[in-house]
Amino acid sequence: MRLLIIVWLSLLCVPLESVGREHTAAGLERVFQTSVRPFLQTYCLDCHGTETQEAKLDLSSFSTAETVSNAHLIWALILDRVEAGEMPPKDAGAHPTAAQRQQFVDWIHAVRRFYAQQHAGDPGPVLARRLNNAEYNNTTRDLTGIDIRPTDTFPVDPANEAGFDNSGESLTMSPALLNKYLQAARQVAEHLVLQPDGFTFAPHPVMTDTDRDKYCVKRIVEFYARQPADPADYFFAAWKYAHRDRLGLSKATLADIAVDDGLSRKYLNTVWDLLNEADAVGPLAMLQRRWNNLPADHSGAAFSGCQLLRDDVRELRGKLRPQFDSPEIEGIHKGSQTFVLWRNRQYAANRRTFNREVLIDESSADDGLSADAVSDDQSDVDLRLHVPSDPEKRKRHEAAFARFCDVFPDEFFIAERGRDYVQESSKQDGEKGRLLSAGFHSMMGYFRDDAPLYDLILDDAQQQELDTLWQELDFITSAPSRQYVGFLWFERTDSRYMRDPEFDFARPEDKEAQSSAMIARLADVYLTKAKQNGGEGTGIVAIQEYFRNIDREIRWVEDARLAAEPSHLRDALKFAERAFRRPLLESERKELTAFYDSLKNDDRLTHEEAVQDLIVSVLMSPHFCYRTDLIASGDGLRTLTDYELASRLSYFLWSSMPDAELLRAAASGTLSQTDVLQEQTRRMLQDDRVRGLATEFAGNWLDIRRFEEHNAVDRERFPEFDDDLRQAMFEEPVRFFVDIVQNDRSILDLLNADDTFVNSTLAKHYGVHDVTEDQGWIRLENAGRYNRGGLLPMAVFLTKNAPGLRTSPVKRGYWVVRRLLGERIPPPPLNVPELPADESKLGELTLRETLARHREHMNCAGCHERIDSFGLVFEGYGPIGELRETDLAGRPVDTSATFPGGQTAQGISDLRTYLLNHREADFVDNLCRRLLSYGLGRSLILPDELLIDRMKQELAAENNRFGCLVDTIITSPQFLSRK
């Protein structure tokens, strides 16, 4: 029997002699009445009773053991203070004996453990709450694909008692905040882009024509920029294939080399065939000779040769470009859309042809541009234009020019044109213009000119992508209609062609002017006048094609928009389903559809306006902006549904909504299975979105979440502290924590790791001189060489806990004691004198000596003895975390300290040793409590003590792996159920 009692008491972590056998509710109550309550009356109530409440604490109301268990947070604080010997204070009139103090402490442990076991697994009061600012930003990012960050102007979210802003205890909704959420929803809707099949979101608002143009044009231009169209790269790839055996690529195919070099397989085949054609003459012979003479044993020289060859090809190709004159008809401006577009079409259709008129007839018998006639270093391009006089030879040479120009177009695509494209825009002259512009005078309009890229380089999927981008340009921007309005305006002003009375029916401000009937009527009148003015041939054709094409384009947009409306409503319902993080109920589908119909039919909104308002209504729904997965109904406990579990898991690990894969697992009904839940968790921890855990959990735990706004540093004294350095300081612990998570490292690495992460800005600040800007962020191994590594010497914490013109051992020590070790430090008493803000103005005393005097005050000594030594070891780091040997007054810094318990230390290396040897259990306990509170979204309750013990036990058995902590939390009854 005694053995069973010993086992039970060992589970309670309570000494046998202190509690005896009073382990029932009645027994604990009896001890409270006979020993604990008298202890309170004798030693506590004078300062914490009905008349006096030091620290606003009244202990007179605790009359039973159960009232103690109900106020477990208060009694956890009492337990800490009494165990530490700080209460009763040294100046108290009476002090308990050691035995009385121990019995009091043991009873608190016992009553906490007893009531924890009585309610083991209790999920606690997790309140339904709104998304906090970070969750809203992250969720709209993952919902729209765009990082809009609409809550950046919101008030800062309040934190709960554990220091996190993800609990219903603090996340209330006021009328003013509700209005903020409405503004945020409208801001998101301003990014909505309706497409021919569904909708998407732009990275910027698209409420104006200019915004829409910017969105569409940018996507096309970026597509062009991604395409490998440099002939030098293809010459070099062909060279590598020709010398593949020497290069160790004997098994590589031409397609393999194209893939490895990021080139078009189709075009590389074309270039290879051209370089290896038999009986080449003219420009082909020149090209082959130059390519075959590239050095076979030096890739660098070969590539340089390919670039020179590319330059010569482009120079020769420019000489062969066809030229087209603009049509002319009396009264019609040369900048009229009719003529500009005709000329654009001619150039676009002839990118792969050449102007035979530039060829020079060679009267001699020499073959002109034959392989024997043109030397390798020939630089006179005009000489290369010579062709033989003999008809048969001339025919072969002209065919060679045609083949050369077919493979090497004068342009693969036109990304920009000047405003006066009635004259040929010449890139050689450095002329720049508007992106994708048709080149009109003072009118908007776009023209597609990319057939060589389309035909020679793009594969089927890329061709379809490019076609879609151009279709969306017309669909989204209404380009044809706006272009035609510009035509009507231009022809009545700059051109004056349509000032006659017979044109008065076609006015740009009249929407009906864009109808097919009105366009046909105007075409007839316009052509009649043109013919009367002597127009014929090409000019008349250009006019006819213009009106026919513009009518077709306007009609396509109208028809496509009408046909697309069901797809937009379909996508809106899908959007709502993703926003609600679960399938829509049929009633919700009907309600959303009815709302859209009422906006169109009753409120007379356009289709686009109705869809935008529908999106706003979804984002204002409690099912989106509230964590409705936390809402419980009925009495008692129940297990979370799979969809509820998906949301709880994703907001824990990502601070954002579930992704498609997690929702698929929920839909299958398997997510609640332990193995599936753990598998999904491991996947999610490897996802980039785990940065949400780093910023929201670690950032709040370590008190740096808002460091990006930190402005306490004196910029005149520390000009190096600019926005880039501040951002880099914040980024370092985020990347370090993500690395701990994704590599499942020991949580003790947070303290004793010999690595960290730096970019060039932070590396320079740390005295690391071999990190360049183009390297981005890198892991810094052996960081101890630079007195860095792990959390302790990171500049972000050192800077955050310094006033600006001096260090603060108090703040830095408090950060270690409170944030890392979890100690509860009461606020300082009132009227405590502040230290000078500038350490150069401390007078004859050092900061260390000033703090020593501060500790002589009775009201200050207790806390400062627990704090200051942990901060003094950081004195080798200045106010912005820079290494230093002297302070700002020129005095040598002293990093020595004596920690609580009497251990002496020198610098943070000894602090690491002390923490790992003497305070590891405190650090682990604190991290477990913080992560559990964050994961559950509430302050901890007594039953959580058992789960915390299990977390620590499993950590010890699994080499302190971070993933072990997460596994224990997500498989706990607290996480999997609600009441």
Side-chain angles (χ1 to χ4, degrees), residues 751-752 792 899 904-905 907-920:
L751 298 180
N752 67 353
L792 292 172
F899 296 138
T904 59
I908 67 163
S909 61
D910 285 354
L911 174 59
R912 284 197 188 97
T913 301
Y914 171 80
L915 293 177
L916 293 171
N917 290 343
H918 299 279
R919 305 298 298 273
E920 177 184 319

Side-chain angles (χ1 to χ4, degrees), residues 574-705:
K574 289 182 179 179
F575 179 88
E577 188 165 79
R578 293 178 58 230
F580 292 176
R581 282 94 72 180
R582 58 164 175 77
L584 293 179
L585 302 174
E586 186 59 32
S587 59
E588 291 170 329
R589 289 181 175 275
K590 291 180 179 179
E591 182 179 353
L592 289 170
T593 303
F595 179 62
Y596 164 81
D597 290 338
S598 70
L599 291 171
K600 281 192 67 178
N601 300 328
D602 300 338
D603 297 341
R604 301 298 182 185
L605 269 59
T606 66
H607 167 72
E608 183 170 10
E609 292 168 338
V611 175
Q612 288 172 341
D613 278 12
L614 186 58
I615 295 301
V616 171
S617 74
V618 169
L619 296 179
M620 287 302 295
S621 168
H623 298 291
F624 170 73
C625 58
Y626 268 78
R627 288 286 306 280
T628 53
D629 57 288
L630 304 176
I631 294 177
S633 58
D635 297 326
L637 296 174
R638 77 164 176 84
T639 301
L640 296 177
T641 68
D642 281 46
Y643 283 108
E644 292 168 343
L645 181 57
S647 282
R648 190 162 213 188
L649 186 62
S650 67
Y651 282 102
F652 172 28
L653 301 181
W654 289 345
S655 287
S656 186
M657 62 183 287
D659 66 351
E661 184 170 343
L662 189 59
L663 289 174
R664 281 195 295 271
S668 70
T670 61
L671 182 59
S672 52
Q673 298 174 8
T674 301
D675 57 339
V676 176
L677 179 61
Q678 291 176 325
E679 179 184 355
Q680 285 293 325
T681 298
R682 286 190 291 270
R683 176 188 69 84
M684 293 171 70
L685 290 176
Q686 295 304 312
D687 192 281
D688 289 343
R689 281 167 285 193
V690 80
R691 180 182 172 89
L693 182 66
T695 55
E696 302 312 312
F697 165 68
N700 282 297
W701 165 41
L702 299 172
D703 194 29
I704 56 156
R705 182 63 189 91

Side-chain angles (χ1 to χ4, degrees), residues 96-205:
T97 65
Q100 289 174 318
R101 184 186 297 273
Q102 189 62 48
Q103 185 180 36
F104 181 78
V105 166
D106 290 344
W107 181 86
I108 298 175
H109 278 297
V111 77
R112 286 169 61 82
R113 181 57 58 114
F114 175 80
Y115 281 100
Q117 290 175 329
Q118 291 294 305
H119 303 281
D122 186 349
V126 181
L127 306 176
R129 59 163 178 87
R130 63 177 174 84
L131 298 178
N132 65 25
N133 293 348
E135 290 170 339
Y136 192 99
N137 280 345
N138 293 342
T139 303
T140 55
R141 176 202 65 203
D142 295 338
L143 187 59
T144 65
I146 304 298
D147 195 12
I148 301 172
R149 307 189 66 81
T151 69
D152 279 1
T153 59
F154 280 28
V156 175
D157 285 321
N160 65 2
E161 190 267 340
F164 301 111
D165 57 5
N166 68 338
S167 74
E169 304 161 49
S170 55
L171 294 175
T172 57
M173 181 75 83
S174 67
L177 191 57
L178 182 64
N179 189 53
K180 286 276 190 181
Y181 272 85
L182 178 58
Q183 294 173 15
R186 287 173 174 162
Q187 183 180 346
V188 173
E190 288 178 354
H191 292 250
L192 181 70
V193 179
L194 301 185
Q195 298 173 302
D197 184 18
F199 61 68
T200 188
F201 291 85
H204 53 81

